[in-house]
């Protein structure tokens, strides 16, 4: 029996639409992500557990875990019967890479169970493909960090899909999921098909400057350059009082603020724990829309997917 945990992640990281992603872990050590337990069995079974299992489709064949199992079996050309337990701890449509958590945990678990028939690049390509099925287009900014950990730059070069890049270890990332759902494919569909030259230049400047600031260890510059000119202007309307929250949180002292993935989770950054706690409190009181919403103060999780037990 194999049990795998795959962490939640922040897609885009504000400045790198579809090409930057960061795995996260709450500073109190809670594991924020999905768990998949798998073993060989006579016939295929899938049991959904966890706080958000009620959000999963009733039809097993619509469950991404089932789709991953089917795809993996076809790729390795084996008819495989397994029993899977999915512990769905991540809310669906939260902007925290919920589908990526299930995809990464399932495919890694399957690969482990069969003594690693696929290498990490083949596995990542499959993860991207499965993610594409859910969101309408392939993007690696959640699956890559959930798999490999840390801050990931998606290259999609002919040889190399992704690489880990440095991050500031003293940054606290405060994430707040308001308790409502935003569909990733809908949030992608509202984006323009084309951008002006001015926006393209701005985006290149912010992103290249951010990467430069990471490598040259300039945290303040990096934080200032985390500007989203691609998605944020169009997605704010999907989020509850986003602009008011942004203004307030910057006033409290955050050095950066943005939408996590396609939202509605938002993230803010500070290197000061008491500011992080103030932000967390404000978000709990003002950004959460219901009892299921949550706020966590996180670090980036360097490890990524792991075996449990
Ligand atoms: N990069 C993707 C998007 C992430 O923003 O649409 C989705 O979580």
């Amino acid at each position: 029996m194999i049990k795998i945990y795959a962490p939640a992640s922040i897609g885009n990281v504000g400045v790198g639409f579809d090409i930057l992603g960061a795995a996260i872990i709450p500073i109190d050590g809670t594991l924020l992500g999905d768990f998949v337990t798998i073993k060989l069995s006579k016939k295929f079974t899938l049991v959904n557990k966890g706080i958000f299992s009620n959000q999963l489709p009733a039809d097993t064949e619509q469950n991404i875990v089932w789709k991953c199992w089917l795809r993996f079996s076809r790729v390795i050309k084996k008819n495989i019967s397994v029993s899977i337990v999915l512990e769905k701890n991540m809310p669906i449509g939260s902007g925290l890479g919920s589908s990526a958590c299930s995809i990464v945990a399932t495919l890694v678990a399957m690969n482990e169970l069969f003594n690693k028939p696929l290498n990490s690049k083949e596995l990542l390509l499959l993860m991207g493909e499965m993610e594409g099925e859910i969101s309408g287009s392939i993007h690696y900014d959640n699956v890559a960090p959930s798999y490999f950990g840390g801050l990931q730059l998606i290259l999609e070069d002919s040889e190399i899909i992704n690489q880990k890049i440095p991050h500031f270890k003293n940054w606290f990332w405060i994430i707040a999921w308001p308790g409502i759902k935003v569909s990733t494919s809908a949030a992608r569909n509202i984006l323009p098909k084309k951008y002006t030259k001015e926006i393209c230049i701005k985006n290149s400047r912010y992103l290249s400057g951010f990467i430069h600031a990471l490598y040259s260890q300039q945290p303040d510059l990096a934080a200032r350059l985390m500007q989203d000119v691609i998605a944020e202007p169009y997605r704010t309307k999907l989020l509850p009082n986003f602009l008011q929250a942004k203004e307030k949180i910057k006033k409290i002292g955050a050095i950066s603020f943005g939408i996590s993935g396609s939202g509605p989770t938002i993230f803010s950054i500070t290197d000061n724990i008491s500011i992080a706690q103030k932000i967390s409190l404000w978000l709990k009181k003002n950004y959460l829309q219901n009892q299921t919403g949550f706020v966590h103060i996180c670090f980036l999780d360097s490890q990524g997917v792991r075996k449990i037990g």
Side-chain angles (χ1 to χ4, degrees), residues 9-12 16-20 95-97 131 135 139 141-142 184 187-188 191 231 235 260-263:
S9 54
I10 297 174
N12 305 333
F17 184 77
D18 274 3
I19 60 170
L20 280 178
L96 286 167
E131 181 80 304
S135 65
H139 56 92
D141 54 327
N142 290 115
T184 300
R188 291 179 83 78
L191 301 181
R235 287 179 169 171
S260 176
S262 50

Side-chain angles (χ1 to χ4, degrees), residues 77-205:
K77 297 190 176 74
K78 271 191 185 153
N79 216 346
I80 308 167
S81 280
V82 287
S83 285
I84 301 180
V85 178
L86 165 67
E87 213 179 295
K88 188 72 206 154
N89 295 331
M90 295 314 296
I92 292 170
S94 57
L96 286 167
S98 171
S99 53
C101 290
S102 296
I103 293 168
V104 171
T106 306
L107 289 174
V108 168
M110 298 278 297
N111 205 42
E112 288 288 323
L113 192 67
F114 290 91
N115 293 321
K116 303 195 175 146
L118 303 186
N119 64 33
S120 59
K121 186 181 168 191
E122 291 166 330
L123 218 47
L124 182 63
L125 284 168
L126 261 191
M127 290 167 183
E129 198 188 300
M130 302 313 301
E131 181 80 304
E133 264 202 33
I134 289 189
S135 65
S137 58
I138 295 178
H139 56 92
Y140 292 94
D141 54 327
N142 290 115
V143 286
S146 188
Y147 187 10
F148 298 108
L151 180 56
Q152 293 285 335
L153 177 63
I154 310 306
L155 302 161
E156 285 188 78
D157 160 69
S158 56
E159 302 288 321
I160 300 165
I161 303 173
N162 64 301
Q163 271 182 3
K164 200 180 250 186
I165 56 173
H167 66 267
F168 300 106
K169 301 230 168 16
N170 61 339
W171 276 9
F172 298 103
W173 300 67
I174 306 98
I175 55 115
W177 173 57
I180 58 172
K181 185 178 168 174
V182 166
S183 131
T184 300
S185 61
R188 291 179 83 78
N189 285 340
I190 60 165
L191 301 181
K193 297 270 172 292
K194 290 184 177 159
Y195 290 87
T196 61
K197 184 168 72 182
E198 188 199 353
I199 293 294
C200 295
I201 294 170
K202 256 192 188 170
N203 186 58
S204 308
R205 183 161 58 78

Side-chain angles (χ1 to χ4, degrees), residues 174 176 240-250 252 257 266 275-288 295:
I174 306 98
N241 301 320
F242 175 84
L243 293 172
Q244 182 212 350
K246 184 172 185 170
E247 202 183 316
K248 180 66 194 174
I249 282 166
K250 288 224 156 155
I252 298 176
F257 182 89
I266 50 175
I275 291 178
Q277 281 155 348
K278 279 186 196 141
I279 292 173
S280 165
L281 208 62
W282 189 88
L283 287 168
K284 273 182 193 153
K285 277 197 195 141
N286 299 283
Y287 193 65
L288 303 194
V295 178

